[in-house]
Amino acid sequence: MANKKRCVVTGLGLICGVGDNVKDCWDAVTLGHSGIDEVKSVDTSNCYAHKGAEVDKASSELSPENYDRSSLLCIHAANEAFEDAHIDASEKNIGVILGSCVGGAASIDKYYTDEIKGDGGKKEDIFKMGASAIANNVSAHFGLEGITANIVNACAAGTMSIGYACDLIREGKGDVFIAGGSDSFSSLAFSGFHALHALDENACSPFNHSTGITLGEGSGILVIESYEHAVERGAKIYCEILGSGVSSDAYHITAPRPDGEGQMSAIRRAVESSNLTFNDIDYINAHGTGTAKNDEAEFLSLHTLFDGNDHLSVSSTKSMTGHCLGAAGSIEAVFSVKAIKENLVPPTIGYSDEDLKVLAEKAGNIDFIPNKSHTKDVHYAMSNSFAFGGNNASIIFSDNEHDIPDNSKNEKIYITGISKLTGTKTDENSLNCNLTSEDYDKHGIRVAFYRKLDRFSQLQLLSGMDALADADIKIDKDNEYKTGIVIGTADGPMTEIVDFQKKAITRGTEKGSAFSFPNTVYNAAGGYLSIFSGIKGYNATVANGNQAGLQSICYAADILAEGNESVMLAAGTDENTKTNLELYAKADLLEKPLGEGSVTLVLETEENAKSRNARKYAEIKGYAQAHRPVSYDNSEVDSKAVVEVIEKACLNAGIEADDIDFVCCDDKKIIKTLMPCYDVSQETGNARAATSAMTAAYAAELLSDSEKNYEYGLALSMGAGGTYSAVVLSKA
Amino acid sequence: MNNAIADQIKEMLVENLRIPENILTYDSELFGDEIGLDSIDSIEIVAGIDTLFGIDMTGADREHFQSIRALTEYVESKQG
């Protein structure tokens, strides 16, 4: 059997509370020096907790652009990683896959603080609010033209981004990526975790006496290349990246499953997809947040899976860096790579003599590295990240070549279910969905469940369940781990974020809403959908401008091709509330009326579709993405990028552009063509990612219409920042 | 029971916990199957009662959270 393409790490960059470069950070954590101090950037005066690990640099010192701090932290780390990797500045075909939890929370705080003070929020801050901007800003800074994505799965985002970049390399979608994550310190996160009573009054000491987390900020960046590319340019290779695993708990929106099932499933997937056993792992950089619920579940997972391993060391570097949320997995990935490179494992700090006695009783075979780092041969290092929404991610780094059998499926992928939840005109600038209790009743969704959901999550839940029903799929024990979700969005749950933020500004950081905070993470919608439906497989949310809806289909198809899942729900979702409308009006983005909705497609492998005799709308024949970096507030079409993305998608589909019978796009300005061209935004308004996903849904329906007699259709979509996605569909 | 207090609490529950107003009576079981409040919601109730009445319900027995009536009676007893 053939082996998978090898992915190697050739550059590292890091900034967080313990230092502003890899060397300083590594020296600090291996010496047990903490970056946790009194919080300066957020008013904590009336809070019960005051600790945090902030980066000791003003935003203006990080990079000169007028970007949100999350983007600037990321550019700072990426600069170091590029210099470290000695990549030629003329190499532009580099992808950017970044994780973030809070995105532009600091800019949302600033905008509404200005507004509440009566100064008026500034237009320029609106473009800094979303997580969508980050990867595009980083691409623009370095002039990069590879695939971009912001993986916004809260605290698992950093790890998932690295795993996805490797998947893309293995699928042949690029040779070089920068991957990692970034999050700035924010009143949003501080107030939210404070409301949940999840902050430790003192510096956190996970797996120890900790009573909660300590927040941090920062960014970790890895330059990841195909082995061939790295060797060809004579690059220094730190280590290999083997397999990764992503799973959903399908249990609770904030708490992990107490039995650790979801965590263990992600870890097992990572180990199995790396062609290793649990006994091979030498070091684990644990999620280790310091909350009782996380630490107990993770402790149980580690003991259950690794008790037969007599040489495993485990630590949580969050005891020094704080919990950097969407950046956490990326920062800890850098530490895992360094552990391999230096044969040195960093500690968890904060153990007293008394704590050490307690630890000795419960540690079993596992070395928890209390207080002091030590040397050891590290061949295989694992990094784990678990998140709100019940998302779990695990990834493995290796010091040597290690063959991974290629399980990827060269199977056909079909669309077997479609749900189109879009709005109708409510006034000249707006289209809205009218959600009624009957919509929930139809799926047996009770008030007790759906009342918790913000609008973004409600739209996604209904559309996701409708799509499963349309495909005639019921989630059960046999398919729960074979089914996954990818959701694309431009703006995510912006209304819930803004409402939370406004209250935190007017009432004080200490009065945040415990009820709405869980919904402020972009992946809450995917979390609720997995909880209600029972889907336990892959679960990602991508924020990347309007085109994220179509990008989610490309992403989901990549996951199916990698061979982990048999069915993927791919969705585009965006909400339209008074908040969205105000922001779009102020930013002069109401060229078209603002819409809302959620369009979900069920993608399924040929084998799976055949086994259950599924109805097929169309085949996903090929897909591609292109990127031409422009300023995030620039929505001009780059016709060369349009040509490129169409050519690439056709090449991937094995057809000529002339074979295409019709185009579905989300804005007719993207393409000038003589063939039939359907601008689906005529129907949906600017429902952003929902309109983008609609292009594929509409194309699939046209292809399944026997009266039309179309053979090939093209779905085409673009997003702010210069990202383009194209999907070629064919008659099933 | 003081209806003015009960109505303020009801409004807070509808606003802060998105409980549909039409299914919420003074005696609805807040933690029962239909409305289904959980531990995160109870944090929100504690915060809401504090904001409305300046009364700290931290550590109060579960029974005081069971319905709008129970919450109202607790507030009345503390306002004494």
Side-chain angles (χ1 to χ4, degrees):
Chain A
M1 188 190 267
N3 289 316
K4 276 189 177 171
K5 254 192 188 178
R6 294 166 63 189
C7 296
V8 296
V9 178
T10 58
L12 298 175
L14 190 53
I15 182 166
C16 63
V18 296
D20 64 5
N21 60 73
V22 174
K23 185 183 182 303
D24 287 356
C25 291
W26 179 245
D27 286 349
V29 296
T30 51
L31 289 167
H33 292 170
S34 174
I36 296 170
D37 203 345
E38 299 297 309
V39 171
K40 296 180 190 75
S41 66
V42 173
D43 178 9
T44 68
S45 47
N46 294 320
C47 297
Y48 73 85
H50 312 278
K51 302 277 190 209
E54 293 166 293
V55 169
D56 193 17
K57 262 187 166 24
S59 294
S60 58
E61 295 174 73
L62 296 168
S63 190
E65 291 101 337
N66 184 19
Y67 294 156
D68 178 75
R69 185 168 172 85
S70 289
S71 292
L72 297 173
L73 287 164
C74 203
I75 289 170
H76 179 95
N79 248 324
E80 186 189 11
F82 273 131
E83 278 175 24
D84 185 38
H86 296 291
I87 287 199
D88 192 320
S90 67
E91 178 144 7
K92 296 295 175 203
N93 192 17
I94 297 174
V96 181
I97 312 292
L98 298 171
S100 181
C101 176
V102 303
S107 298
I108 297 170
D109 188 351
K110 178 173 174 297
Y111 180 90
Y112 285 100
T113 302
D114 288 345
E115 191 180 85
I116 288 161
K117 273 195 307 200
D119 301 345
K122 293 185 183 53
K123 182 180 167 183
E124 61 177 42
D125 287 327
I126 296 174
F127 294 97
K128 301 183 192 173
M129 289 181 174
S132 277
I134 302 173
N136 292 299
N137 287 340
V138 174
S139 275
H141 178 93
F142 295 101
L144 307 178
E145 298 183 351
I147 294 174
T148 63
N150 298 285
I151 311 290
V152 282
N153 285 70
C155 308
T159 301
M160 287 175 63
S161 297
I162 297 166
Y164 181 47
C166 294
D167 288 345
L168 288 167
I169 289 174
R170 290 180 178 128
E171 289 292 312
K173 302 288 164 63
D175 278 318
V176 190
F177 283 84
I178 59 168
S182 184
D183 262 322
S184 74
F185 215 85
S186 67
S187 60
L188 172 79
F190 198 93
S191 179
F193 283 106
H194 185 275
L196 292 173
H197 294 274
L199 296 176
D200 198 327
E201 274 179 68
N202 304 302
C204 71
S205 181
F207 303 123
N208 187 9
H209 53 242
S210 213
T211 57
I213 69 171
T214 304
L215 284 164
E217 66 172 348
S219 173
I221 294 292
L222 283 71
V223 176
I224 305 171
E225 296 179 52
S226 68
Y227 175 75
E228 294 75 17
H229 188 277
V231 168
E232 195 180 321
R233 69 178 191 89
K236 149 194 87 200
I237 293 175
Y238 279 98
C239 68
E240 306 237 347
I241 306 181
L242 305 182
S244 57
V246 175
S247 74
S248 319
D249 273 4
Y251 172 72
H252 190 270
I253 200 66
T254 59
R257 284 182 73 102
D259 64 6
E261 181 196 309
Q263 299 179 359
M264 289 193 277
S265 151
I267 294 170
R268 195 175 286 116
R269 280 178 175 213
V271 168
E272 284 171 2
S273 67
S274 299
N275 196 23
L276 294 172
T277 70
F278 297 115
N279 291 352
D280 291 319
I281 307 297
D282 301 297
Y283 170 64
I284 297 176
N285 191 303
H287 187 52
T289 59
T291 66
K293 282 190 171 136
N294 175 81
D295 290 3
E296 280 165 22
E298 194 171 8
F299 212 79
L300 176 65
S301 301
L302 293 173
H303 275 304
T304 306
L305 297 178
F306 292 97
D307 265 359
N309 180 329
D310 61 4
H311 56 92
L312 178 66
S313 299
V314 175
S315 65
S316 169
T317 41
K318 288 186 179 77
S319 57
M320 296 165 280
T321 63
H323 189 348
C324 301
L325 306 177
S330 67
I331 291 168
E332 291 152 22
V334 173
F335 291 148
S336 301
V337 171
K338 288 296 282 181
I340 285 177
K341 203 66 200 155
E342 309 291 335
N343 285 315
L344 180 64
V345 287
T348 302
I349 65 167
Y351 285 89
S352 67
D353 289 345
E354 206 51 44
D355 295 333
L356 289 172
K357 282 181 206 156
V358 176
L359 179 67
E361 278 169 29
K362 65 177 186 180
N365 256 346
I366 301 173
D367 159 34
F368 278 91
I369 327 175
N371 295 337
K372 279 201 175 107
S373 59
H374 62 77
T375 56
K376 83 176 274 179
D377 288 341
V378 181
H379 302 295
Y380 298 106
M382 168 181 272
S383 180
N384 294 335
S385 300
F386 312 129
F388 271 17
N391 292 157
N392 309 294
S394 177
I395 192 161
I396 296 175
F397 302 89
S398 160
D399 72 341
N400 57 18
E401 181 182 351
H402 180 87
D403 291 337
I404 308 176
D406 189 355
N407 297 325
S408 58
K409 297 175 182 166
N410 285 320
E411 273 190 80
K412 291 179 177 176
I413 295 170
Y414 291 101
I415 295 171
T416 57
I418 295 177
S419 151
K420 301 182 297 183
L421 176 58
T422 56
T424 50
K425 207 145 191 183
T426 42
D427 70 42
E428 58 171 331
N429 282 326
S430 219
L431 290 86
N432 290 95
C433 300
N434 179 26
L435 309 183
T436 65
S437 56
E438 285 81 46
D439 295 322
Y440 296 100
D441 290 346
K442 193 169 60 178
H443 298 293
I445 308 169
R446 305 171 69 154
V447 172
F449 190 84
Y450 71 75
R451 69 167 182 84
K452 293 176 202 254
L453 279 59
D454 65 308
R455 186 152 189 91
F456 179 68
S457 297
Q458 289 175 348
L459 292 166
Q460 181 59 68
L461 177 65
L462 288 174
S463 156
M465 294 311 297
D466 282 345
L468 282 171
D470 186 57
D472 196 21
I473 291 177
K474 288 193 175 56
I475 303 300
D476 56 29
K477 287 277 165 232
D478 291 331
N479 63 13
E480 61 187 7
Y481 277 109
K482 289 277 161 206
T483 309
I485 300 168
V486 179
I487 295 166
T489 183
D491 299 314
M494 191 55 79
T495 306
E496 193 85 338
I497 295 171
V498 166
D499 287 350
F500 182 97
Q501 187 73 60
K502 279 177 166 172
K503 282 181 194 161
I505 294 167
T506 52
R507 299 176 185 175
T509 313
E510 73 282 8
K511 296 243 168 82
S513 162
F515 175 76
S516 66
F517 181 58
N519 296 334
T520 65
V521 296
Y522 281 63
N523 63 323
Y528 286 120
L529 178 56
S530 94
I531 293 167
F532 187 77
S533 67
I535 291 173
K536 292 182 175 174
Y538 201 92
N539 196 330
T541 302
V542 182
N544 206 8
N546 292 0
Q547 64 84 48
L550 198 57
Q551 184 172 14
S552 78
I553 294 167
C554 303
Y555 190 158
D558 279 325
I559 298 304
L560 287 174
E562 271 296 294
N564 284 327
E565 317 292 0
S566 303
V567 176
M568 290 293 295
L569 271 56
T573 305
D574 271 298
E575 61 183 9
N576 176 17
T577 66
K578 190 165 159 275
T579 301
N580 302 108
L581 207 52
E582 277 172 10
L583 291 171
Y584 270 73
K586 179 123 186 179
D588 294 323
L589 291 173
L590 283 181
E591 231 173 90
K592 290 183 209 172
L594 198 65
E596 68 175 349
S598 177
V599 174
T600 305
L601 281 75
V602 177
L603 271 54
E604 190 167 355
T605 59
E606 183 176 28
E607 190 188 342
N608 206 76
K610 207 173 164 185
S611 73
R612 60 180 201 90
N613 200 19
R615 173 204 41 199
K616 299 166 188 159
Y617 283 96
E619 183 187 343
I620 304 268
K621 198 76 182 165
Y623 50 95
Q625 287 158 284
H627 188 82
R628 283 292 183 289
V630 291
S631 158
Y632 190 67
D633 57 4
N634 178 345
S635 52
E636 294 291 309
V637 178
D638 185 320
S639 55
K640 281 186 186 153
V642 174
V643 171
E644 182 192 319
V645 78
I646 295 172
E647 283 178 348
K648 276 184 173 172
C650 289
L651 183 69
N652 187 239
I655 65 164
E656 301 290 327
D658 288 344
D659 296 331
I660 292 169
D661 299 311
F662 67 92
V663 179
C664 290
C665 59
D666 54 1
D667 194 325
K668 60 182 182 299
K669 77 180 178 191
I670 302 179
I671 187 167
K672 289 186 180 59
T673 175
L674 294 174
M675 68 178 82
C677 183
Y678 305 91
D679 175 357
V680 300
S681 71
Q682 302 279 346
E683 182 186 326
T684 63
N686 180 18
R688 293 148 285 156
T691 304
S692 172
M694 183 67 119
T695 61
Y698 202 79
E701 288 180 341
L702 284 172
L703 286 161
S704 68
D705 182 345
S706 53
E707 283 176 22
K708 289 272 195 260
N709 210 17
Y710 286 140
E711 195 66 32
Y712 293 105
L714 177 78
L716 187 62
S717 180
M718 76 168 274
T723 299
Y724 299 79
S725 284
V727 175
V728 174
L729 299 97
S730 69
K731 206 179 182 103
Chain B
M1 185 183 73
N2 182 326
N3 282 12
I5 293 175
D7 287 341
Q8 275 181 284
I9 293 174
K10 181 173 177 180
E11 194 186 328
M12 181 268 287
L13 294 174
V14 169
E15 171 79 7
N16 294 4
L17 298 176
R18 283 196 277 261
I19 303 172
E21 199 172 353
N22 59 343
I23 64 163
L24 190 58
T25 67
Y26 294 150
D27 293 304
S28 300
E29 262 188 74
L30 299 178
F31 290 80
D33 279 350
E34 190 181 15
I35 296 172
L37 300 194
D38 63 17
S39 58
I40 291 178
D41 299 309
S42 60
I43 296 175
E44 197 73 15
I45 294 177
V46 171
I49 296 290
D50 188 23
T51 304
L52 284 174
F53 309 106
I55 291 168
D56 184 6
M57 287 191 77
T58 309
D61 281 346
R62 268 190 86 91
E63 60 183 285
H64 301 301
F65 290 85
Q66 295 310 311
S67 62
I68 291 176
R69 187 179 301 278
L71 285 163
T72 305
E73 283 164 1
Y74 185 84
V75 168
E76 284 181 285
S77 73
K78 292 294 164 184
Q79 284 180 333

